[in-house]
Amino acid sequence: FVVTNRDVLYRSPIMLTPYSSGTSIDTETVQQFIEKSYNEAGFTPADIDTGAVVITGEALKKENAQPILEYFSEESGRFICASAGPMHEALLAAFGSGAVAVSKQHNNTVLDVDMGGGTTKFSLIRNGEIAQMVAIEVGARLIAYDDDMTITRIEQPARTIMETLGHTIEVGQKLTPEQRDAFAAKETEILFDLIKGGKVEPLTDTLLLTDPLNISSLDEIDHVVFSGGVSEYIYERTDVSYGDIGPWLGKSVRQQAQSAFPTGMLVIPAEGIRATVIGAG
């Protein structure tokens, strides 16, 4: 089967993954959100023929991720149930963002950079075919904090990055604006170390989950598309903060892209924060 048309009937609000502890997803809150979304859309689970439940990123590492997948797959209708590692997520985002379509249409090379909360995924697309996928532990929610900048969660890659900046951070401490800005700038530096091609720096290599991009320079890429949650900030579609590094990371990446990319290289995605879910659909 080939999908020839897609009509979007309803888009729920975006909800950050709720956690009941550092190792568990808050299942009840997720369940309430899904039920509310069904009601707002005017459908029931019985109305749905098929769909997908996909857990990705940091949520996938939590101890109750698999039971949640199975539960919602059963409750939400005849859904495909998947735990998507970074390679699967990169694949979905490349299609959902429209990067594959751009490459196919122009018969050239496009790099999709899908920036999420815990990881960033790269899909190198040549003539409409994905040639390579790369993942690195760089994201907006490696550090999370509350309204008064008190740190509520830290993922290990954040500690690694902060150590190179000369900072030690812990849950319960205040994150200073200077630390936040420096962290965002360092993550941007790491990403562009990958994007530029060639041999990467030791810190970049430490955070990589795969081999680096198989390009020697930016000259091998015709277009770059950013997708994922952080892309909403890169393309200035929102400035709302969710208690993480997202707005500052997006601004830093945007500024670096403007100086590093020639005119016309940066392309607006068909889908940003929803690229993965549209790709799954």
Side-chain angles (χ1 to χ4, degrees):
F1 294 92
V2 176
V3 176
T4 58
N5 187 53
R6 180 180 69 240
D7 293 323
V8 177
L9 303 180
Y10 171 79
R11 290 174 183 252
S12 75
I14 302 296
M15 183 184 73
L16 297 176
T17 305
Y19 294 101
S20 55
S21 71
T23 59
S24 296
I25 299 167
D26 186 344
T27 311
E28 184 176 345
T29 300
V30 176
Q31 182 179 358
Q32 292 170 354
F33 174 75
I34 291 176
E35 290 173 353
K36 181 181 178 183
S37 296
Y38 266 111
N39 289 334
E40 290 178 353
F43 296 106
T44 68
D47 296 322
I48 309 300
D49 287 326
T50 188
V53 182
V54 185
I55 291 188
T56 64
E58 290 301 317
L60 184 58
K61 301 177 184 178
K62 305 310 176 186
E63 61 188 22
N64 62 340
Q66 191 60 36
I68 286 176
L69 274 173
E70 293 167 356
Y71 171 78
F72 288 117
S73 179
E74 292 172 2
E75 292 295 313
S76 301
R78 294 176 291 278
F79 277 31
I80 295 167
C81 177
S83 301
M87 296 300 93
H88 190 185
E89 197 175 355
L91 178 72
L92 299 179
F95 281 93
S97 68
V100 171
V102 170
S103 175
K104 189 172 184 178
Q105 179 183 352
H106 296 282
N107 202 35
N108 63 8
T109 301
V110 176
L111 181 67
D112 181 64
V113 185
D114 189 70
M115 299 182 64
T119 56
T120 295
K121 286 72 58 180
F122 299 79
S123 293
L124 185 65
I125 310 153
R126 301 186 192 276
N127 305 324
E129 299 288 339
I130 297 178
Q132 185 188 12
M133 292 179 289
V134 172
I136 190 168
E137 292 181 302
V138 167
R141 290 188 71 78
L142 294 178
I143 302 174
Y145 48 85
D146 60 20
D147 292 341
D148 67 355
M149 297 288 285
T150 299
I151 298 172
T152 57
R153 199 172 82 248
I154 306 168
E155 304 296 346
Q156 184 54 46
R159 298 182 188 275
T160 302
I161 295 170
M162 277 297 197
E163 285 173 5
T164 67
L165 295 170
H167 301 298
T168 301
I169 57 172
E170 297 296 339
V171 171
Q173 289 182 358
K174 297 275 190 179
L175 182 69
T176 68
E178 292 76 20
Q179 289 174 330
R180 178 195 63 203
D181 294 349
F183 186 80
K186 193 63 177 179
E187 285 202 306
T188 301
E189 181 184 314
I190 292 165
L191 290 179
F192 278 83
D193 182 35
L194 262 179
I195 293 171
K196 73 180 182 182
K199 187 176 180 180
V200 298
E201 297 294 328
L203 176 59
T204 305
D205 190 54
T206 298
L207 297 170
L208 274 168
L209 299 171
T210 63
D211 291 333
L213 280 170
N214 187 26
I215 58 172
S216 58
S217 73
L218 263 179
D219 293 337
E220 296 183 34
I221 300 172
D222 297 293
H223 296 297
V224 176
V225 178
F226 287 98
S227 59
V230 180
S231 73
E232 301 295 310
Y233 300 109
I234 295 173
Y235 295 100
E236 298 182 283
R237 290 172 166 171
T238 184
D239 59 0
V240 178
S241 175
Y242 295 97
D244 57 33
I245 309 297
W248 293 272
L249 179 57
K251 179 182 178 181
S252 179
V253 169
R254 181 175 67 253
Q255 292 174 341
Q256 184 64 27
Q258 288 170 345
S259 63
F261 299 159
T263 302
M265 188 174 190
L266 184 61
V267 176
I268 297 174
E271 295 286 345
I273 194 170
R274 290 178 169 87
T276 302
V277 72
I278 293 295

